[in-house]
């Protein structure tokens, strides 16, 4: 079979570096403009923190420009080596592994202070500004700048740095930079030097020196103080690769620069603890998907069922419809695809209309075979290519394909409980305010659903009975005032408003006389003044109410 070749503009698929060439050049121009802006900001900076951050950003811009320039040279060499002919023969095509995401987070660098420096430090200790640079190919990232003194036992960086286009052969170079933050060594150096010279030498000579320094102060004092004095130096470095990736914290060795005589030096243990996570694209994205027919044996008879199969993360997941994936329905069949799996094409006759292949997995000393059939020969070739590419990706990414490693994105953090502005007692910097948890609307709805067992969503929640006092405000009942009478003069009424027949007087008491009536009225008046009115909620009719009043 004659090889197919592409010429001229149609060969531009292999000329993709030309597009990358333009993109990298744009990035270089952007970083150059940012660098010019940082220089202008640096010339106006007078505060210590401003100068430290500006110099840090200037170093980041220079590192990125250098990385982009090297990448641009590689692409130019790649374009120059092209012969103008693009070979599309599948067998001679070199296979490349899929890309992946690399995340580095939770960096801890322990310090080894002397006991006399760490525990017996009464005066304000010397402070250092620390940050890290991560370099991989043309990508350069940095961390936040942290301030460290002799009261700090660990340098901690909470940043999560992600490289999106990493190959299995990646190498991340970690560089740790340090700078002493002494005020005398960062700001107002020319002015202090002039003042010192003016007081140490003769008055006339001192005035001349002072005037010269004042003339140059507008043009170079800020630049010289920021660049010469506020200079970051490489404190330590290390290189991380695929073997360092693990879904947990690991310790890595550091190569330390400098010694105790260096102004930027810190007593490092020589180790760095961090979490390095690798996510190959084949573990989080679909390698290939499509319909296949799967062979089944039911009561000794061969039958076929149509399934939508997805190759991803070392598994061939089979669903009845593609919609089941979005609905997060459990697959009807899951077939493992790993380094022990064997896949064989069973269609050796091109004239056959059925194009089968078998997937064989050894399980407990036995071979479990699954037979699938593609719709046509073209689909069969696509599936076979996807399987071979997946096998190659698994072999290159190694242990990172055994189980998916999760990348935890840092959420907005609350202000720390312990502030490190000054090297004072912990109790002076402790925040005693308890955190207040505010419930959102979704939390309230979720709580309501749990209380009503889901009836809140369909509007069929049970109506709770009102409290007894609620009828007092509904306007449907009469308020009855009742006089508190003595036991001897209490009158009882039935529900129809008729008076009950009075019982016979006791035999041991005198019969009713006018004097007895007067005594009874006086007793009622006294009880009324002492006990007042008792209000009760009744359901009697209006006639009954009038009778009582």
């Amino acid at each position: 079979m004659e090889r197919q070749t592409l010429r001229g503009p149609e060969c531009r698929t292999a000329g993709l570096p030309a597009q990358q060439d333009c993109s990298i050049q744009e990035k270089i121009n952007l970083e150059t403009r940012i660098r010019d802006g940082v220089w202008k900001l640096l010339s106006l900076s007078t505060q210590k923190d401003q100068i430290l951050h500006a110099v840090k950003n200037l170093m980041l811009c220079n590192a990125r420009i250098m990385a982009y320039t090297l990448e641009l040279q590689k692409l130019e060499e790649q374009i120059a080596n092209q012969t103008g002919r693009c070979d599309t023969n599948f067998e001679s095509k070199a296979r490349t592994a899929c890309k992946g995401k690399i995340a580095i987070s939770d960096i801890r660098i322990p310090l080894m202070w002397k006991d006399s420096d760490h525990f017996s430090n009464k005066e304000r200790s010397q402070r250092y500004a620390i940050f890290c640079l991560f370099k991989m190919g043309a990508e350069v990232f940095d961390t936040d700048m942290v301030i460290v003194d002799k009261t700090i036992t660990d340098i901690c960086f909470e940043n999560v740095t992600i490289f999106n286009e990493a190959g299995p052969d990646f190498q991340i170079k970690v560089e740790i930079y340090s700078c002493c933050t002494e005020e005398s060594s960062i700001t107002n150096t020319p002015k202090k030097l002039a003042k010192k010279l003016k007081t140490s030498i003769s008055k006339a000579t001192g005035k001349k020196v002072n005037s010269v320094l004042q003339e140059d102060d507008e043009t170079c004092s800020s630049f010289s103080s920021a660049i010469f004095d506020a200079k970051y130096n490489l404190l330590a470095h290390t290189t991380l690769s695929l073997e360092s990736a693990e879904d947990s914290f690991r310790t890595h060795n550091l190569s330390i620069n400098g010694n105790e005589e260096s102004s930027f030096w810190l007593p490092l243990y020589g180790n760095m603890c961090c979490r390095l996570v690798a996510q190959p694209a084949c573990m989080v994205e679909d390698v290939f998907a499509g319909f296949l027919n799967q062979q089944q044996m039911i009561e000794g008879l061969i039958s076929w069922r149509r399934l939508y199969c997805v190759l991803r993360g070392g598994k061939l997941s089979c669903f009845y419809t593609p919609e089941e994936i979005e609905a997060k329905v459990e697959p009807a069949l899951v077939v493992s695809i790993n380094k022990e799996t064997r896949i064989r094409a069973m269609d050796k006759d091109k004239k056959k209309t059925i194009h089968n292949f078998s997937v064989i997995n050894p399980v407990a000393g036995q071979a479990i075979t699954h037979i699938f059939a593609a719709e046509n020969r073209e689909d069969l070739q696509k599936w076979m290519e996807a399987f071979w590419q997946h096998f190659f990706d698994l072999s290159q990414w190694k242990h990172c394909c055994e189980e998916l490693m999760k990348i935890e994105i840092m959420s907005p953090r609350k202000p720390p409980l312990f502030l490190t502005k000054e090297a004072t007692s912990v109790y002076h910097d402790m925040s005693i305010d308890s955190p207040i948890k505010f419930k959102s609307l979704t939390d309230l709805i979720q709580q309501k659903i749990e209380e009503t067992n889901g009836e809140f969503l369909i509007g069929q929640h049970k109506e709770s009975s009102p409290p007894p006092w609620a009828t007092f405000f509904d306007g449907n009942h009469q308020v009855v005032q009742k006089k508190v009478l003595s036991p001897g003069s209490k009158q009882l009424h039935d529900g129809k408003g008729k008076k009950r027949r009075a019982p016979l007087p006791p035999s041991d008491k005198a019969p009713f006389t006018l004097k007895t009536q007067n005594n009874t009225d006086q007793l009622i008046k006294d009880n009324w003044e002492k006990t007042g009115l008792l209000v009760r909620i009744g359901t009697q009719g209006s006639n009954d109410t009038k009778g009582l009043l």
Side-chain angles (χ1 to χ4, degrees), residues 141-344:
F141 297 101
D142 65 333
T143 64
D144 295 334
M145 185 187 69
V146 297
I147 303 298
V148 176
D149 57 17
K150 293 182 180 180
T151 63
I152 304 299
T153 58
D154 296 273
I155 305 174
C156 302
F157 297 99
E158 303 297 336
N159 303 80
V160 179
T161 304
I162 300 176
F163 296 89
N164 292 314
E165 294 293 329
D169 56 345
F170 72 90
Q171 287 189 340
I172 300 177
K173 188 174 183 181
V174 182
E175 297 178 348
I176 305 169
Y177 289 90
S178 172
C179 174
C180 182
T181 63
E182 284 284 335
E183 282 193 28
S184 59
S185 64
I186 292 183
T187 58
N188 300 328
T189 300
K191 294 181 181 180
K192 291 186 177 181
L193 178 61
K195 184 177 180 180
K196 188 174 182 180
L197 290 174
K198 186 177 179 180
T199 56
S200 61
I201 58 180
S202 65
K203 186 175 182 180
T205 307
K207 286 184 177 181
K208 292 181 181 180
V209 173
N210 188 23
S211 62
V212 173
L213 289 174
Q214 286 180 353
E215 291 177 358
D216 296 339
D217 181 63
E218 296 181 358
T219 57
C220 65
S221 64
S222 298
F223 288 91
S224 62
S225 63
I227 300 302
F228 182 76
D229 295 312
K231 180 182 179 182
Y232 287 94
N233 292 273
L234 182 62
L235 179 63
H237 64 89
T238 187
T239 302
L240 305 178
S241 60
L242 183 65
E243 287 72 20
S244 307
E246 189 174 339
D247 198 10
S248 61
F249 293 96
R250 285 190 58 181
T251 302
H252 311 278
N253 295 327
L254 290 174
S255 300
I256 302 176
N257 295 344
N259 50 43
E260 294 184 7
E261 302 299 328
S262 305
S263 61
F264 62 89
W265 186 81
L266 285 172
L268 303 180
Y269 268 106
N271 295 323
M272 179 189 74
C273 182
C274 70
R275 183 172 180 262
L276 185 68
V277 174
Q279 270 191 2
C282 62
M283 295 293 291
V284 295
E285 300 175 2
D286 295 346
V287 179
F288 196 76
F291 282 98
L292 289 173
N293 296 317
Q294 189 236 342
Q295 179 179 306
Q296 289 182 304
M297 293 293 294
I298 301 177
E299 297 181 355
L301 300 177
I302 298 177
S303 62
W304 297 84
R305 60 175 178 175
R306 183 177 172 84
L307 299 173
Y308 186 79
C309 303
V310 178
L311 179 60
R312 175 179 180 174
K315 296 178 181 179
L316 183 65
S317 302
C318 305
F319 304 85
Y320 289 105
T321 61
E323 290 75 16
E324 291 183 353
I325 302 176
E326 298 180 359
K328 296 183 179 180
V329 178
E330 291 294 328
L333 176 66
V334 177
V335 181
S336 298
I337 306 295
N338 50 51
K339 60 182 181 180
E340 303 294 335
T341 305
R342 299 293 179 264
I343 297 180
R344 298 176 181 177

Side-chain angles (χ1 to χ4, degrees), residues 451-465:
E451 291 177 355
T452 60
N453 294 326
E455 295 178 354
F456 174 74
L457 295 177
I458 58 178
Q460 295 183 358
H461 56 282
K462 298 180 180 178
E463 295 183 358
S464 58
S465 59

